[in-house]
């Protein structure tokens, strides 16, 4: 997936970072007006959630309403609160098993939010390292396929004893089948995945077995969901 350049006709976005959260009090004075980013129309209503994917149900109600309208055909307003809740240039919005990319355009003093589904969503690579724990070199092929049979990775491996090598680097979101087919051994197939909660994995080769493992962790809540 090619990350989008955020479309804007006003000022260029500044450095991405956490934004201060408003306390909700407003006496109407000029000092209380949020500054935000003029390029996205965002206020500082929410602190940015620095994740690759945020699901619809995690967002505050007003952001969910923006998402609903954007998916249905586009949302226009003087402020786009989604733009402060996430980094719209880097984060997917997931909803009903689809992954959406956000685009924000400026039109005078108003902004338009559109969300387009990505048919082949990708995250940063999850790398699987083959570790040879035997006394001789291992050779063969490591293949990763999607649930519908598309080959994502096919890597020839040749790893010396007590050494390791990258066997696969996977970016496509989903649960996939990894087949480890080493010379002189029966092939081994295990499920591996790419998600916001998955990490790198290992293919450990022993004399009597091959173990495929991958770490998965619970997600910390977004700062506005704590």
């Amino acid at each position: 997936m090619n990350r989008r350049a955020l479309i804007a006709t006003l000022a260029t976005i500044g450095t991405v970072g956490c934004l201060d959260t408003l306390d909700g009090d407003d006496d109407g004075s000029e000092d209380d007006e949020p500054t935000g980013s003029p390029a996205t129309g965002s206020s500082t209503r929410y602190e940015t959630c620095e994740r690759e994917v945020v699901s619809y149900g995690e967002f505050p109600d007003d952001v969910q309403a923006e998402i609903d309208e954007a998916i249905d055909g586009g949302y226009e307003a003087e402020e786009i609160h989604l733009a402060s809740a996430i980094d719209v240039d880097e984060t997917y919005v997931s909803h009903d098993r689809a992954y959406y990319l956000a685009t924000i355009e400026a039109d005078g003093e108003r902004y338009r939010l559109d969300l387009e589904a990505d048919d082949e969503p990708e995250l940063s690579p999850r790398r699987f390292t083959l570790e040879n724990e035997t006394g001789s070199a291992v050779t063969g092929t490591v293949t990763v396929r999607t649930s519908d049979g598309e080959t994502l990775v096919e890597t020839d491996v040749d790893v010396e004893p007590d050494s390791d090598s990258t066997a696969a680097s996977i970016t496509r979101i989903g649960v996939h089948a990894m087949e480890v087919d080493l010379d002189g051994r029966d092939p081994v197939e295990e499920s591996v995945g790419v998600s916001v909660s998955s990490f790198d994995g290992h293919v450990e080769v022993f004399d009597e077995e091959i173990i495929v493992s991958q770490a998965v962790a619970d997600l910390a809540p977004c700062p506005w969901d704590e």
Side-chain angles (χ1 to χ4, degrees), residues 39-60:
T40 63
S42 71
S43 69
T44 55
R45 173 170 293 191
Y46 298 111
E47 185 177 353
T48 302
C49 186
E50 303 288 350
R51 292 219 310 249
E52 291 184 287
V53 179
V54 178
S55 64
Y56 175 85
E58 296 179 89
F59 287 104

Side-chain angles (χ1 to χ4, degrees), residues 14-141:
T15 302
V16 174
C18 291
L19 302 176
D20 295 333
T21 305
L22 292 179
D23 59 13
D25 294 328
D26 185 359
D27 61 8
S29 67
E30 218 172 76
D31 290 339
D32 290 329
E33 290 297 321
T35 55
S37 168
T40 63
S42 71
S43 69
T44 55
R45 173 170 293 191
Y46 298 111
E47 185 177 353
T48 302
C49 186
E50 303 288 350
R51 292 219 310 249
E52 291 184 287
V53 179
V54 178
S55 64
Y56 175 85
E58 296 179 89
F59 287 104
D61 290 344
D62 58 346
V63 179
Q64 288 185 7
E66 292 181 349
I67 293 170
D68 289 337
E69 290 197 36
I71 291 175
D72 287 342
Y75 171 74
E76 294 186 7
E78 293 182 0
E79 292 182 340
I80 305 294
H81 298 305
L82 177 66
S84 64
I86 62 171
D87 180 349
V88 294
D89 201 35
E90 294 294 333
T91 300
Y92 281 108
V93 174
S94 66
H95 187 36
D96 288 342
R97 298 187 178 182
Y99 292 83
Y100 292 90
L101 304 172
T103 300
I104 297 176
E105 295 180 317
D107 182 10
E109 295 182 356
R110 294 180 65 81
Y111 299 86
R112 178 182 174 88
L113 168 66
D114 289 289
L115 289 169
E116 181 178 353
D118 187 345
D119 294 333
E120 297 182 353
E122 296 183 322
L123 302 183
S124 58
R126 273 50 173 176
R127 293 182 174 85
F128 284 77
T129 302
L130 189 149
E131 302 166 5
N132 184 2
E133 305 292 347
T134 73
S136 58
V138 295
T139 58
T141 304

